[in-house]
Amino acid sequence: MELFSFYPWLFPIFATVFGLLIGSFLNVVIFRLPKMMEQEWKEECHEYFPETVPEPTEERITLSHPASTCPKCNTGIKFYDNIPVISWLLLRGKCRQCSNPISARYPLVELLTGTLALVVSLHFPAGPWGFALLGFTFVLVALTFIDFDTQLLPDSLTLPLMWAGIVTALLGWSPLSLETSIIGAMTGYLSLWSIYWLFKLLTGKEGMGYGDFKLFAALGAWLGWSMLPMIILMASIAGTVGGVIQLRRAGKDNQQPFSFGPYLAIAGWIALIWGDTLLNMYLSYAFGG
Ligand SMILES: [Zn+2]
């Protein structure tokens, strides 16, 4: 920590490089976590209904096993071809062995994670809170892409994120008091839970999932309850615009489910960085400060 306060440029550089490397790992998490959940469901179904559901036979995936391979030629990816962004550029987006194109999404996720980490490091000083916020940012990136791909917000990410927010308040790392953090988590969960049930009773439809409540609870735990109205406002506006675009693209018989999680996560991150500025602007506008 002393080193970081001695060299002020060290934290942004560290955060960017760390973010790029974690972004590479997040690509694995985004791709594999939903598949791991599916395997777990199948195994649970088999345990509950052994007569009707056969035992899953495919090999178990974890985050570290099997090692990453090219999906086409199955050649293992060497460490020197796994350097964030740079390797993809050097290989011109193709597998070294079979020239199968590698999606530009991989370097983009790495670049995005590195950039977001840089922004965090420029807004917050190096220290326990600054490092915790890097972790917060990384989990939000993973949740955004997983929900976008699969309409799922895994409990294995949302719940630890919420508890971690409360723990940072307990340890005195977060600027929030423990009370503000816990009330934030409660308000986050219960507000969306109430809207969900109200909407369901009125229309018979489900507008959100339980994952959204847990993610919103996590945002409340990290940012405090006072940021929640702003987050839900930003997420709803962006979500409405995004939903209309999605409808236009897919045509009338669009059955693709709509995920709200990415909008919540992005709005939450914006509130982390610019929330105070936006809140002050609003207050001075509303009350003529
Ligand atoms: Zn290949």
Side-chain angles (χ1 to χ4, degrees):
M1 292 302 157
E2 267 174 36
L3 204 65
F4 281 113
S5 56
F6 202 73
Y7 302 106
W9 43 264
L10 198 59
F11 186 43
I13 291 177
F14 166 82
T16 310
V17 174
F18 188 52
L20 287 168
L21 292 170
I22 294 289
S24 177
F25 173 66
L26 291 184
N27 276 319
V28 179
V29 174
I30 292 162
F31 187 70
R32 290 193 183 179
L33 197 57
K35 293 190 192 303
M36 285 159 61
M37 290 167 71
E38 197 187 320
Q39 282 190 335
E40 246 166 65
W41 286 329
K42 281 184 185 162
E43 270 165 34
E44 270 174 32
C45 285
H46 169 70
E47 266 172 44
Y48 290 131
F49 310 105
E51 287 89 18
T52 43
V53 181
E55 195 174 353
T57 48
E58 66 247 50
E59 197 192 0
R60 237 191 129 128
I61 328 169
T62 67
L63 289 181
S64 56
H65 176 87
S68 302
T69 57
C70 165
K72 199 174 176 200
C73 68
N74 268 325
T75 313
I77 294 166
K78 299 278 189 307
F79 72 92
Y80 51 79
D81 283 342
N82 215 356
I83 305 162
V85 185
I86 297 166
S87 287
W88 190 86
L89 291 175
L90 285 178
L91 294 169
R92 294 198 184 84
K94 283 174 193 151
C95 169
R96 188 182 283 278
Q97 257 68 37
C98 69
S99 298
N100 180 47
I102 304 164
S103 167
R105 193 169 120 167
Y106 294 105
L108 286 177
V109 167
E110 291 159 356
L111 207 59
L112 174 75
T113 313
T115 310
L116 297 179
L118 173 66
V119 174
V120 167
S121 71
L122 294 175
H123 270 82
F124 299 92
W129 182 232
F131 285 104
L133 289 179
L134 290 180
F136 173 73
T137 303
F138 300 151
V139 177
L140 289 184
V141 172
L143 284 170
T144 300
F145 281 94
I146 292 176
D147 195 11
F148 183 76
D149 286 346
T150 65
Q151 286 75 48
L152 290 171
L153 290 166
D155 280 355
S156 54
L157 292 177
T158 50
L159 294 180
L161 187 65
M162 181 191 77
W163 290 114
I166 295 173
V167 168
T168 58
L170 177 71
L171 294 174
W173 296 357
S174 150
L176 304 178
S177 69
L178 181 59
E179 203 181 88
T180 315
S181 171
I182 291 178
I183 294 175
M186 283 166 28
T187 317
Y189 191 90
L190 293 175
S191 57
L192 287 197
W193 179 87
S194 325
I195 294 172
Y196 169 86
W197 280 106
L198 200 69
F199 188 73
K200 196 171 178 179
L201 291 174
L202 289 176
T203 65
K205 287 178 192 161
E206 293 182 2
M208 286 177 276
Y210 275 73
D212 295 314
F213 318 159
K214 292 169 200 163
L215 173 57
F216 203 40
L219 296 178
W222 281 83
L223 306 172
W225 56 267
S226 59
M227 287 290 175
L228 294 180
M230 185 203 302
I231 295 172
I232 204 74
L233 187 70
M234 285 195 285
S236 306
I237 295 171
T240 309
V241 174
V244 169
I245 293 172
Q246 194 182 319
L247 274 177
R248 281 270 171 84
R249 272 195 176 172
K252 267 190 178 169
D253 46 16
N254 172 42
Q255 288 299 316
Q256 199 190 341
F258 172 78
S259 39
F260 191 50
Y263 299 102
L264 273 181
I266 294 165
W269 192 81
I270 291 173
L272 165 74
I273 305 291
W274 295 287
D276 287 327
T277 317
L278 291 170
L279 214 57
N280 287 336
M281 270 166 59
Y282 170 77
L283 290 176
S284 65
Y285 172 77
F287 300 103

